[in-house]
């Protein structure tokens, strides 16, 4: 069997599957780095841009909002007009907005650029769709796992690189390094990534674009994420937060009504109610939430000074904490490569079950055993491995459930759900840290960390039960919407 990637309408030299995968990994990696690289720089940005902590926090919130709003739309456009074409568009916008961030004159402009940078999250679903169409069948599963796991590995590396750059140079160098990486990824995509045959010469598509669905989804997701990310700052019982939750629910209800009547919906409601997709979506929330509990809790635990008021603290610097957690982040990539092998041998659910078991064990062991730096680093490796298995499982499950022609849109929505889960996980950790503070110190008590780790373990245990009930079979658009009970009882692929 030939392993050459098909040429795109004769205009592009065929590249091997290794070159194709490398181009996609660099593209997704550029997003993963930018997702977390700014986190260590927040205190520096607060000082140098003469702002406060709450405003600086919007540099993360804006990125998440932009990701949630833009990714489903870009994914849907990729299914219609070409995945390579929209990947290049996404990288182009990412490059311009990152350049704008590097030269930002102040916080408001930087926040806007960060929101536009959120389009980079679309690189993952677009890359997965390109893999499905252009990679040899025997290499597809492994490529899915490795590409998805790049999120965890890149995010962990971003924490370290961001800390090093901020410590040794200006915060603007974070964006400067990212500009070089994005430009390199664009060159690789132009050289090695083909357009799929069904899109290579397509300049138009049948059916109208789902503008009402896009607007409802964008505003609904923005309302939900804004409420989740700002709940701690504004107060969970405040009128603003409650109002945003109510608006989000109302808009999602309207979205369901509108999409059920649209001939080419941005969100296929029947697909979301297809039991395997519904279970996978809930599992996605857990895969997003559990690691972010650790991402918030562990740096705080490691960097808290060891004093009589905080005997649990370890007093590490930002860079030392990042380096300690790096093996766990790299474990994400290792598990992402092993996940497809496990799935091939034991079935489609096996990587997800492994993910939940490892993250459950990580949560319980971290709750019981966080008295030394070594124990924290070792246990976090379990969490990283679990996260990698989860990423690999999600990519494989979506490919088995979602029709090929809607794969980018399906992966985009799944990616957004994981982002929502990440926001929920980080806020749960923040609430725990703020709710248990030692008197007169302003530092969280050790019990706050312990409760957070037990919560991660409990979510993982719930994920085990959920995944064991999962039965995987593809969604058929022409068939009536399957009932959840019947579908859960169907045979696994």
């Amino acid at each position: 069997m030939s392993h050459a990637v098909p040429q795109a309408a004769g205009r592009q030299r065929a590249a091997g599957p290794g070159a194709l995968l490398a181009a996609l990994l660099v593209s997704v990696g550029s997003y993963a780095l930018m997702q977390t690289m700014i986190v260590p720089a927040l205190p520096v940005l607060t000082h140098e841009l003469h702002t406060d902590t709450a405003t600086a926090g919007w540099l993360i919130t804006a990125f998440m909002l932009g990701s949630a709003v833009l990714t489903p739309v870009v994914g849907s456009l990729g299914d219609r007009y070409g995945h390579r074409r929209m990947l290049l568009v996404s990288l182009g916008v990412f490059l311009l907005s990152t350049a704008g961030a590097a030269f930002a004159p102040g916080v408001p402009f930087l926040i806007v650029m960060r929101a536009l940078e959120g389009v980079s999250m679309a690189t993952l679903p677009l890359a997965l769709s390109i893999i499905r169409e252009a990679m040899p069948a025997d290499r597809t599963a492994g490529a899915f796992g490795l590409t998805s796991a790049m999120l965890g590995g890149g995010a962990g590396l971003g924490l370290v690189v961001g800390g090093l750059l901020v410590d040794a140079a200006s915060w603007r160098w974070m964006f400067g390094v990212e500009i070089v990486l994005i430009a390199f990824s664009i060159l690789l995509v132009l050289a090695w990534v083909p357009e799929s045959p069904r899109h290579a010469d397509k300049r138009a598509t049948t059916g109208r674009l789902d503008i009402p669905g896009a607007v409802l989804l964008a505003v609904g997701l923005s309302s939900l994420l804004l409420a989740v990310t700002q709940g701690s700052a504004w107060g969970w019982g405040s009128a603003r937060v409650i109002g945003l939750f109510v608006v989000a629910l109302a808009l999602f209800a309207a979205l369901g009504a509108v999409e059920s009547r649209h001939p080419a919906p941005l969100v296929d409601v029947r697909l979301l109610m297809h039991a395997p997709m519904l279970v996978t979506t809930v599992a996605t929330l857990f895969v997003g939430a559990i690691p972010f509990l650790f991402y918030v809790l562990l740096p705080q635990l490691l960097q808290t000074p060891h004093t009589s008021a905080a005997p649990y603290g370890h007093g590490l610097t930002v860079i030392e904490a990042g380096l300690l957690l790096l093996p766990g982040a790299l474990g994400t990539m290792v598990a992402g490569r092993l996940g497809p092998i496990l799935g091939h041998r034991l079935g489609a659910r096996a990587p997800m079950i492994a993910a939940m078991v490892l993250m459950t064990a990580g949560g319980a062991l971290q709750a019981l055993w966080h008295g030394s730096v070594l124990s924290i680093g070792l246990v976090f490796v379990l969490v990283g491995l679990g996260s990698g298995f989860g990423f690999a499982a999600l990519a494989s499950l979506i490919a088995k459930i979602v029709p090929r022609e809607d794969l980018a849109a399906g992966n985009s929505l799944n990616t957004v759900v994981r982002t929502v889960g990440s926001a929920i996980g980080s806020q749960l950790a923040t609430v725990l840290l703020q709710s248990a503070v030692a008197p007169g110190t302003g530092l969280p008590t050790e019990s706050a960390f312990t409760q957070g780790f037990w919560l991660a373990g409990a979510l993982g245990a719930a994920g085990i039960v959920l995944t064991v009930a999962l039965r995987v079979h593809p969604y058929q658009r022409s068939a009536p919407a399957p009932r959840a009970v019947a579908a859960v009882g169907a045979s696994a692929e």
Side-chain angles (χ1 to χ4, degrees), residues 103 123 167 183 218 251 299 443:
F103 295 99
T123 57
D167 189 55
L251 290 174
L443 297 173

Side-chain angles (χ1 to χ4, degrees), residues 346-399:
L346 299 180
R349 295 177 300 171
M352 185 62 77
I353 293 175
M356 296 302 176
V357 168
L358 285 166
M359 290 192 286
T360 299
L365 289 173
Q366 205 72 275
L368 297 169
W369 193 33
H370 56 263
S372 73
V373 168
L374 179 60
S375 66
I376 291 173
L378 288 176
V379 172
F380 186 64
V381 171
L382 294 180
V383 179
L385 291 170
S387 180
F389 277 120
F391 288 152
L394 290 174
S396 177
L397 290 170
I398 295 298

Side-chain angles (χ1 to χ4, degrees), residues 20-29 31 71 74-75 78-79 82-88 90-91 119-135 140 143-148 150-151 189 193-194 395 407-409 411-412 415:
L20 169 66
L21 182 58
L24 297 177
L25 287 176
V26 174
S27 299
V28 174
Y31 153 68
T71 299
V74 173
D79 286 332
H83 301 125
R84 176 182 183 267
R85 189 171 291 139
M86 291 311 301
L87 179 59
L88 288 170
S90 300
L91 289 171
V119 73
S120 60
M121 191 168 77
T123 57
L124 177 63
L126 292 170
L128 295 175
S129 296
I130 291 169
I131 288 170
R132 176 72 177 271
E133 294 183 330
M135 288 286 284
T140 299
F144 274 161
L146 191 57
T147 304
S148 299
M150 175 62 76
L151 292 181
V189 171
V193 176
L407 191 58
N411 275 310
S412 295
T415 303

Side-chain angles (χ1 to χ4, degrees), residues 133-201:
E133 294 183 330
M135 288 286 284
D138 60 334
R139 297 189 60 171
T140 299
F144 274 161
L146 191 57
T147 304
S148 299
M150 175 62 76
L151 292 181
L157 187 60
L159 290 172
V160 177
V161 172
L164 289 171
L165 289 173
V166 169
D167 189 55
S170 166
W171 60 268
R172 298 183 187 274
W173 275 103
M174 290 188 307
F175 299 105
V177 169
E178 188 71 18
I179 288 170
V180 175
L181 184 60
I182 301 168
F184 183 52
S185 67
I186 291 174
L187 292 176
L188 294 183
V189 171
L190 287 170
W192 291 342
V193 176
E195 191 59 86
S196 64
R198 69 190 180 97
H199 290 124
D201 297 312

Side-chain angles (χ1 to χ4, degrees), residues 172-409:
R172 298 183 187 274
W173 275 103
M174 290 188 307
F175 299 105
V177 169
E178 188 71 18
I179 288 170
V180 175
L181 184 60
I182 301 168
F184 183 52
S185 67
I186 291 174
L187 292 176
L188 294 183
V189 171
L190 287 170
W192 291 342
V193 176
E195 191 59 86
S196 64
R198 69 190 180 97
H199 290 124
D201 297 312
K202 197 168 185 180
R203 295 288 182 262
T205 186
T206 56
R208 53 195 171 90
L209 189 61
D210 183 13
I211 300 297
V215 173
L216 288 170
L217 180 63
V219 180
L221 283 172
S222 297
S223 301
L224 176 62
L225 273 176
L226 197 58
V228 170
T229 56
Q230 298 301 306
S232 297
W234 294 347
W236 291 102
S238 67
R240 282 189 290 181
V241 171
I242 294 175
L244 284 169
F245 278 125
V246 171
V247 169
L249 287 174
L251 290 174
F252 288 147
L255 177 67
V258 169
E259 299 299 84
S260 64
R261 295 191 296 268
H262 198 283
L266 180 67
V267 179
D268 190 334
V269 178
R270 287 191 172 188
L271 170 61
L272 288 177
M273 297 309 297
H274 179 59
M277 187 66 175
L278 183 61
V279 172
T280 300
T281 299
V282 178
T284 302
L285 283 172
F286 291 162
V287 172
I290 296 172
F292 268 77
L293 279 164
F294 289 91
Y295 289 164
V296 174
L297 293 171
L298 289 183
Q300 176 83 24
L301 176 64
L302 291 168
Q303 294 172 48
T304 298
H306 183 80
T307 63
S308 58
Y312 61 84
H314 297 281
L316 300 187
T317 66
V318 173
I319 295 176
E320 289 171 341
L323 289 172
L324 180 70
L325 300 179
L326 183 59
L330 296 178
T332 301
M333 298 195 66
V334 173
R337 187 67 185 90
L338 296 176
I341 299 174
L342 183 64
H344 178 71
R345 293 183 178 179
L346 299 180
R349 295 177 300 171
M352 185 62 77
I353 293 175
M356 296 302 176
V357 168
L358 285 166
M359 290 192 286
T360 299
L365 289 173
Q366 205 72 275
L368 297 169
W369 193 33
H370 56 263
S372 73
V373 168
L374 179 60
S375 66
I376 291 173
L378 288 176
V379 172
F380 186 64
V381 171
L382 294 180
V383 179
L385 291 170
S387 180
F389 277 120
F391 288 152
L394 290 174
S396 177
L397 290 170
I398 295 298
K400 290 179 180 295
I401 295 170
V402 177
R404 178 185 286 267
E405 63 272 16
D406 296 327
L407 191 58

Side-chain angles (χ1 to χ4, degrees), residues 47-59:
H47 173 71
E48 294 194 6
L49 295 177
H50 310 292
T51 187
D52 53 52
T53 302
T55 302
W58 273 91
L59 296 172

